[in-house]
Amino acid sequence: MTTWSLAAARDRAAAITAAARTWRHGLDAMDRLTSADAARACYQPGGPSLAELERRIRADRASRARGHRAAA
């Protein structure tokens, strides 16, 4: 591997790590909201209804909580 390609690989890895960190911070921020508030924040006209978004958010949170409990 040349010096240039090694530097490019390191830059790419740093960018991916930064993107993952940003994604995680966004998830944490949304998890601090109630499911109704999170649904309102995500709502887009023409997309799923608020009720559907709220149902999906609750299901997602429940599945992640089950995964964390299973890993513990």
Side-chain angles (χ1 to χ4, degrees):
M1 191 177 264
T2 65
T3 302
W4 179 82
S5 62
L6 182 58
R10 285 183 180 148
D11 290 346
R12 180 173 160 78
I16 291 169
T17 300
R21 188 174 295 117
T22 300
W23 179 269
R24 183 64 201 181
H25 286 296
L27 281 176
D28 291 344
M30 289 299 281
D31 282 347
R32 285 190 289 274
L33 297 174
T34 65
S35 55
D37 287 341
R40 281 191 291 278
C42 295
Y43 178 75
Q44 294 284 322
S49 68
L50 283 173
E52 176 64 15
L53 285 170
E54 194 170 348
R55 186 192 67 71
R56 290 181 187 182
I57 289 166
R58 278 197 210 111
D60 175 67
R61 289 177 179 177
S63 71
R64 285 189 286 130
R66 279 191 301 273
H68 288 202
R69 276 181 270 172

